[in-house]
Amino acid sequence: MNKMTIKWSVYAGCFGRKAMKYKFDADYIKRCLTYGKALYEKGLPIIYDQQHLATLVGYSKKYLYRASNGPSYFYRKFKIPKISGGLRKIAEPLPSLKEIQRWILDNILYNCKFSKYAKAFIPGKSIRENARFHRNQKTILSLDMKNFFESIPSSKIYYFFWWLGYCKPVATMLTNLCTLNGSLPQGAPTSPALSNLVCYRLDCRLSGFTVKNNIRYTRYSDDLTISGEFNPGSVIRLVEKILHDEGFELNKNKIRVMKNHNRQEVTGIVVNDKMQAVREIRRKLRQDIYHIEKYGLDSHMDFTKQERANYVKHLRGKANFILFVNSKDRDANHAVEILSNY
């Protein structure tokens, strides 16, 4: 229930009459409405207690207690390869917990204010918008935060929900439903949005410095990009200090300083002049399409030992990404045309 669906005066009147019917005293009703109005004015769902939360998400209070107090039983854990090498740990919530998390995401988190410098996992934002902000700059500095989700402890999540205005029992249960082993799990639908919201102060501190110095800053999840005219060494030291203050660690193995006479790349997109996907992706797609046209898809599949459906889907995805970055890319448009026959 929020201010977009019902006027506060109507809600307060209905609540008061029902509460009096059940013999609650005037002081209790006043305290409830004061609590509820603070949430209402922020456009957030009013949640009075843990039982109320259970009703809103459509599960029993007993189930929420189990998921909240023993979250490790409600996740499927596996590893996937990282692009940079090594394995990334994924903890995917079971369907029931994922449904609850989706409710929290849609009804609470997406109604909160995100930093304008955060470009990932926010409706309407994209990797393209993140890259576009850094076009035609003299220097681009790319930085990475180490173990990003694992560095955000449950205590910060609890404080966030409490700061929104939720009472301690509700804030505690919301926190437990969104965290695993004391931090944000990589794989939960709530983790990306929560990471952005928790990083609001970090974004404010870094953007405050960059605006003051007439340079640019954005954050795409754990990737920080700063561009303009500046001394990279001084900026790196400052960013490292601010990250440390905010509970994060700079990944010193992923620091990249890119001058405008070399290829400048922001989250996989070249931004020197016109934006486009990196050359390696475009070249590989062009080669694959050439072989498909010359030898036929089946023959090419036999040679590459790929599964037909997955391979075509993979190539379409690659072509669509290139076109998402630059809709006029001739080779990618040609690839889409050829792949439409399969």
Side-chain angles (χ1 to χ4, degrees):
M1 171 130 6
N2 59 47
K3 62 184 178 182
M4 299 302 293
T5 59
I6 187 172
K7 290 184 178 179
W8 174 252
S9 58
V10 175
Y11 175 86
C14 291
F15 182 93
R17 287 190 295 273
K18 195 136 190 173
M20 286 188 289
K21 179 180 177 181
Y22 286 95
K23 310 299 183 184
F24 289 103
D25 61 46
D27 182 61
Y28 174 82
I29 295 172
K30 182 180 178 181
R31 283 188 287 112
C32 285
L33 290 177
T34 300
Y35 168 81
K37 189 175 184 181
L39 293 167
Y40 171 89
E41 289 178 341
K42 294 178 181 178
L44 298 171
I46 300 168
I47 310 173
Y48 290 107
D49 55 29
Q50 295 176 342
Q51 176 61 65
H52 190 194
L53 175 60
T55 301
L56 290 173
V57 300
Y59 283 83
S60 68
K61 184 179 179 181
K62 181 180 179 181
Y63 181 87
L64 257 63
Y65 270 127
R66 287 170 56 205
S68 174
N69 296 330
S72 60
Y73 297 104
F74 291 80
Y75 284 86
R76 180 176 69 95
K77 300 173 186 176
F78 55 94
K79 297 178 181 179
I80 60 173
K82 292 182 181 179
I83 296 176
S84 57
L87 296 173
R88 187 185 306 280
K89 297 178 182 178
I90 302 295
E92 181 184 20
L94 297 181
S96 53
L97 178 56
K98 184 181 287 188
E99 185 179 12
I100 293 168
Q101 291 172 344
R102 284 294 317 184
W103 186 93
I104 295 171
L105 177 66
D106 293 337
N107 292 277
I108 298 178
L109 305 183
Y110 280 162
N111 285 317
C112 296
K113 182 181 179 182
F114 291 92
S115 162
K116 69 178 182 179
Y117 299 96
K119 303 297 182 180
F121 317 124
I122 300 173
K125 305 290 185 181
S126 71
I127 195 171
R128 187 176 187 275
E129 180 180 333
N130 181 59
R132 183 172 53 198
F133 195 65
H134 300 283
R135 284 183 60 196
N136 298 319
Q137 297 299 305
K138 184 173 182 179
T139 302
I140 292 179
L141 173 63
S142 176
L143 303 168
D144 179 83
M145 290 187 274
K146 185 180 284 188
N147 300 323
F148 182 49
F149 284 167
E150 294 176 10
S151 299
I152 300 176
S154 299
S155 57
K156 282 192 175 183
I157 304 304
Y158 169 80
Y159 177 79
F160 170 74
F161 283 122
W162 177 82
W163 174 82
L164 286 180
Y166 289 109
C167 63
K168 290 182 178 181
V170 171
T172 298
M173 180 166 276
L174 289 170
T175 299
N176 291 344
L177 291 170
C178 295
T179 57
L180 177 66
N181 298 327
S183 63
L184 288 181
Q186 187 152 323
T190 44
S191 292
L194 280 169
S195 70
N196 278 332
L197 292 163
V198 166
C199 284
Y200 192 93
R201 190 173 73 169
L202 169 67
D203 291 336
C204 286
R205 293 184 67 182
L206 289 175
S207 63
F209 165 77
T210 55
V211 169
K212 182 179 178 181
N213 289 276
N214 197 31
I215 54 181
R216 301 182 174 203
Y217 161 75
T218 60
R219 180 179 57 80
Y220 195 87
S221 186
D222 56 354
D223 289 320
L224 312 177
T225 305
I226 296 172
S227 66
E229 191 168 352
F230 56 91
N231 181 296
S234 299
V235 173
I236 291 169
R237 287 190 291 273
L238 177 71
V239 171
E240 185 174 17
K241 181 184 182 305
I242 292 176
L243 287 178
H244 182 268
D245 290 346
E246 297 296 324
F248 297 103
E249 183 181 355
L250 178 66
N251 189 338
K252 295 183 179 180
N253 295 323
K254 291 188 176 181
I255 297 175
R256 297 176 64 195
V257 178
M258 296 163 280
K259 298 293 185 178
N260 57 2
H261 57 268
N262 294 318
R263 185 172 85 176
Q264 293 177 316
E265 181 184 327
V266 177
T267 49
I269 298 176
V270 178
V271 295
N272 291 72
D273 183 14
K274 65 179 181 181
M275 293 204 311
Q276 56 187 4
V278 295
R279 185 184 300 113
E280 293 80 3
I281 292 177
R282 292 182 288 117
R283 181 191 296 128
K284 184 65 170 63
L285 178 65
R286 187 166 59 247
Q287 289 174 346
D288 288 332
I289 296 301
Y290 169 79
H291 288 120
I292 289 172
E293 285 188 287
K294 184 172 182 178
Y295 302 109
L297 179 61
D298 291 332
S299 178
H300 183 56
M301 298 282 298
D302 290 339
F303 179 76
T304 57
K305 300 187 181 341
Q306 299 276 355
E307 185 180 336
R308 181 182 180 115
N310 289 339
Y311 183 63
V312 172
K313 184 178 180 181
H314 168 72
L315 291 180
R316 283 178 180 150
K318 191 180 292 187
N320 287 332
F321 172 72
I322 294 170
L323 292 173
F324 173 69
V325 177
N326 177 13
S327 62
K328 297 181 180 179
D329 189 284
R330 185 182 304 172
D331 293 326
N333 276 302
H334 178 63
V336 170
E337 181 182 346
I338 295 302
L339 294 170
S340 66
N341 298 318
Y342 300 100

